[in-house]
Amino acid sequence: MAIQVWRHVPGKLLLFLMNVVAATALIFEGYNQGVLGTVSSTPGFIKMANIGADGVVTNSTKQGGLAAAYYFGGICGCFSGGWVGDEIGRKRGVLCGTVFGVLGAALMAGSVNSDMFIVARVIAGLGIGFINAIVPPWVSELSQAHDRGSSFSLVFVANYLGVVIAYWINFGVRSTNDEFRWRFPLGWMIIPLLIVDMCIPFLPESPRWLIANGKREQAIAILCKLRGDLAANDPLIVREVEQLDAIVESTHHKRNDLINIFLAGRYSGNLHLGRRAVMGFLLQWIQQWTGILAIAGWSTTLFHLAGFSSYKSLWLAGLVNTFGIPGTAAASLVIDRIGRIKSLLVSFVTQGIALFLVAAFIKTSEDAAHAGNQPQSERLGTAAASFVFVYLWFFTMFNIVPSWIYGTEIWPQEIRAKGYSFTIFGWAAGCGMTQFVIPIMLNRLGWGTFVFFGAMNVVALPIVYLFYPEVAQRSLEEIDLLFTSESLLVSKNMVEYYRRMDEAGGNVAVAARRLLVEVDGGSPPASVGEQEKGAAVRHA
């Protein structure tokens, strides 16, 4: 019989523990993003991977390729992980992901050449693809709507905590022998995955997955526990089970097949599911190309360019990334108040300015050093470092959470997990490309790297403003209505939104039900009451 310790834990505490386990799993992802920028510049790693000599990297292209291989695995894992999670359950799907992650981390730490290391990175990437594709939707399926934002904030604080741990571990082992200095940080990443493996058997499965697989009694028991130890006949539980039944039934519609979403949203009509897939992918791609990995993943190199010693560059890199933890927590103060889109626009403006100033101060610091004016060079290097902190604060407070949560909110509930796979795909592809080119750019362009990423913020700003409608404070019914125009422009889609609302007498549920009937090619319900009832069940 399966272990069901969760039955003896108070419901609210159980939900909190679920979020803690999810956060622990995401530490692995953040740690992977932060660890290699420093590790790949250590003498022992350089010798093992054959990317340089005498402790100096001379093949930055190969260095970038070693970093990017992880994300190739993530691209493969994000879709296969979602499929596995649907087939065998969320719990066992996560366990499969941790097996890949542990194996990949062990092989990385034990690598004897670059070929072995690349294979290990791909295997570890498969693991994080599984984890990213399953864990957040699983938490979403266990949470109520009003808890979802706080759940995401917790997860991404943990994600950044992983980056911070990576930098401080690298700082802590800086004086050890060449082998330990790079093998231990890579091996350490197994620890959060082992913690997840120990906790998973004691947690409840997703009620939605259980109902879809004929295990209604267990699904209802889990819902009763999570909603505050309610009785099975409580109206809240009865209503939620009815909603889950409708969601599971809608999941099997042909327009919701993953292949049809890939093929530009076939059969989705004015729901435009294919467009939403591209939007989720692109927003993550934009996030990775607006400078965060150059700041977070390669900040040791950045501070070295600013004129700091190796020792000071290491502890500054740890400090600046530690700064991201309260920044991410502060996102909860603004993400619902000013909305997803305004938050992103604020981030692009401030990030762009900060990156241009970082580039300017690094350039003038280098010029001062070449002219023999060391005090002036140090002052300008300190100014460059200060704007790295500014960049990171605004990124974590205004960018990271909106970029991830938006990719879930634009999807109907019945295909949220599938839709989220496209967001993970965008993350993996964007990170893979930037991790490949950043060391090459830092080596060849130096301070010009930050001019490039600053310019990418300028490019991103109008894209998000023109093509991404605001979804904060909107019901799920309304979100479907925001994508009905054939035009990609927000302004055109809002005109269509208001037209449909006017025709429905201002009733969102009626407008949403009419849209679904239109897409399905059926007849409208006989009465407004029936339309409202149908929409309430479909979109709860």
Side-chain angles (χ1 to χ4, degrees):
M1 182 176 178
I3 301 173
Q4 295 187 341
V5 174
W6 59 265
R7 290 181 180 271
H8 307 287
V9 179
K12 298 298 182 183
L13 176 60
L14 179 62
L15 188 57
F16 172 77
L17 293 175
M18 279 290 306
N19 286 334
V20 170
V21 174
T24 304
L26 268 294
I27 286 176
F28 176 75
E29 190 256 308
Y31 188 92
N32 256 292
Q33 285 188 294
V35 72
L36 200 64
T38 301
V39 161
S40 65
S41 298
T42 61
F45 185 91
I46 292 170
K47 181 179 178 181
M48 180 279 297
N50 193 27
I51 56 175
D54 300 322
V56 177
V57 176
T58 57
N59 190 344
S60 56
T61 301
K62 186 175 181 180
Q63 183 188 29
L66 294 174
Y70 169 69
Y71 299 100
F72 175 78
I75 290 172
C76 299
C78 67
F79 292 110
S80 56
W83 179 82
V84 169
D86 284 340
E87 289 297 311
I88 66 174
R90 308 306 192 232
K91 293 172 64 172
R92 283 176 286 186
V94 171
L95 287 174
C96 288
T98 61
V99 169
F100 282 119
V102 169
L103 178 61
L107 291 173
M108 277 193 280
S111 292
V112 297
N113 55 49
S114 58
D115 292 340
M116 181 177 176
F117 190 80
I118 288 173
V119 171
R121 289 284 284 173
V122 171
I123 293 173
L126 281 170
I128 198 57
F130 271 63
I131 290 169
N132 273 348
I134 299 173
V135 169
W138 182 17
V139 172
S140 176
E141 290 165 358
L142 290 170
S143 304
Q144 293 177 286
H146 65 273
D147 293 324
R148 193 169 296 122
S150 61
S151 298
F152 263 79
S153 295
L154 173 62
V155 165
F156 286 104
V157 167
N159 178 280
Y160 226 92
L161 177 61
V163 178
V164 171
I165 292 171
Y167 272 99
W168 286 119
I169 285 179
N170 276 318
F171 179 77
V173 300
R174 68 191 183 282
S175 299
T176 58
N177 67 69
D178 288 352
E179 290 292 303
F180 187 86
R181 187 175 170 186
W182 71 269
R183 293 190 189 276
F184 176 78
L186 294 174
W188 187 93
M189 70 179 74
I190 293 173
I191 292 176
L193 296 184
L194 294 180
I195 294 173
V196 172
D197 284 341
M198 289 187 290
C199 295
I200 285 287
F202 302 100
L203 300 177
E205 182 56 86
S206 160
R208 176 182 159 191
W209 184 85
L210 291 169
I211 287 179
N213 287 271
K215 300 180 180 181
R216 294 180 62 82
E217 289 187 9
Q218 189 176 347
I220 292 171
I222 292 170
L223 286 173
C224 290
K225 172 60 67 175
L226 292 174
R227 300 304 175 246
D229 299 295
L230 301 176
N233 60 356
D234 187 281
L236 177 66
I237 299 299
V238 172
R239 183 165 59 252
E240 189 162 359
V241 171
E242 289 175 349
Q243 293 166 359
L244 284 174
D245 284 334
I247 289 169
V248 169
E249 181 180 353
S250 298
T251 301
H252 300 298
H253 194 289
K254 62 182 179 180
R255 69 168 169 262
N256 293 331
D257 289 342
L258 192 61
I259 187 64
N260 288 327
I261 301 174
F262 258 121
L263 298 174
R266 286 195 310 176
Y267 311 117
S268 66
N270 285 335
L271 289 173
H272 292 123
L273 298 182
R275 179 194 303 174
R276 302 191 212 188
V278 173
M279 291 174 68
F281 172 92
L282 183 60
L283 190 56
Q284 273 297 310
W285 184 275
I286 287 172
Q287 184 186 72
Q288 310 313 324
W289 279 94
T290 48
I292 182 54
L293 289 179
I295 294 292
W298 298 85
S299 51
T300 303
T301 305
L302 187 163
F303 289 123
H304 185 70
L305 282 173
F308 294 101
S309 67
S310 297
Y311 170 79
K312 199 168 186 177
S313 294
L314 271 172
W315 73 255
L316 276 174
L319 182 62
V320 73
N321 282 288
T322 303
F323 205 60
I325 295 177
T328 305
S332 62
L333 302 176
V334 298
I335 188 171
D336 290 320
R337 285 181 171 84
I338 71 174
R340 289 30 165 171
I341 303 307
K342 287 182 180 178
S343 291
L344 288 169
L345 298 181
V346 168
S347 75
F348 294 140
V349 171
T350 52
Q351 289 170 194
I353 293 172
L355 287 170
F356 288 137
L357 289 172
V358 167
F361 284 123
I362 289 176
K363 174 64 167 64
T364 52
S365 175
E366 290 178 347
D367 291 344
H370 292 152
N373 192 345
Q374 194 60 34
Q376 177 75 356
S377 175
E378 291 176 359
R379 286 193 293 270
L380 291 168
T382 301
S386 68
F387 280 100
V388 173
F389 282 81
V390 171
Y391 173 96
L392 199 75
W393 178 267
F394 279 94
F395 173 83
T396 52
M397 185 171 181
F398 291 98
N399 191 300
I400 187 170
V401 176
S403 290
W404 284 88
I405 199 171
Y406 194 92
T408 67
E409 292 177 311
I410 60 176
W411 292 96
Q413 173 67 7
E414 64 268 18
I415 53 170
R416 179 168 288 144
K418 290 180 181 177
Y420 192 74
S421 296
F422 289 92
T423 295
I424 303 302
F425 181 31
W427 164 81
C431 286
M433 285 293 294
T434 51
Q435 286 281 41
F436 177 72
V437 302
I438 285 171
I440 301 172
M441 295 174 70
L442 289 171
N443 181 53
R444 299 183 182 180
L445 300 179
W447 60 269
T449 302
F450 305 102
V451 174
F452 171 81
F453 284 118
M456 293 303 290
N457 282 272
V458 176
V459 173
L461 194 149
I463 293 174
V464 171
Y465 177 78
L466 292 173
F467 302 116
Y468 284 76
E470 181 59 73
V471 297
Q473 307 298 331
R474 294 188 183 274
S475 66
L476 293 177
E477 293 95 336
E478 284 184 281
I479 289 174
D480 270 353
L481 295 169
L482 296 175
F483 299 95
T484 57
S485 172
E486 292 301 318
S487 172
L488 301 177
L489 294 171
V490 170
S491 58
K492 298 294 184 182
N493 279 279
M494 293 309 298
V495 168
E496 184 67 8
Y497 166 83
Y498 288 120
R499 182 189 70 78
R500 290 176 179 272
M501 288 292 291
D502 288 343
E503 290 181 355
N507 191 310
V508 173
V510 171
R513 185 59 180 164
R514 286 179 176 175
L515 171 61
L516 292 176
V517 169
E518 172 190 315
V519 171
D520 293 339
S523 301
S527 67
V528 167
E530 290 178 62
Q531 292 179 11
E532 293 178 38
K533 180 180 178 182
V537 172
R538 160 69 168 62
H539 287 283

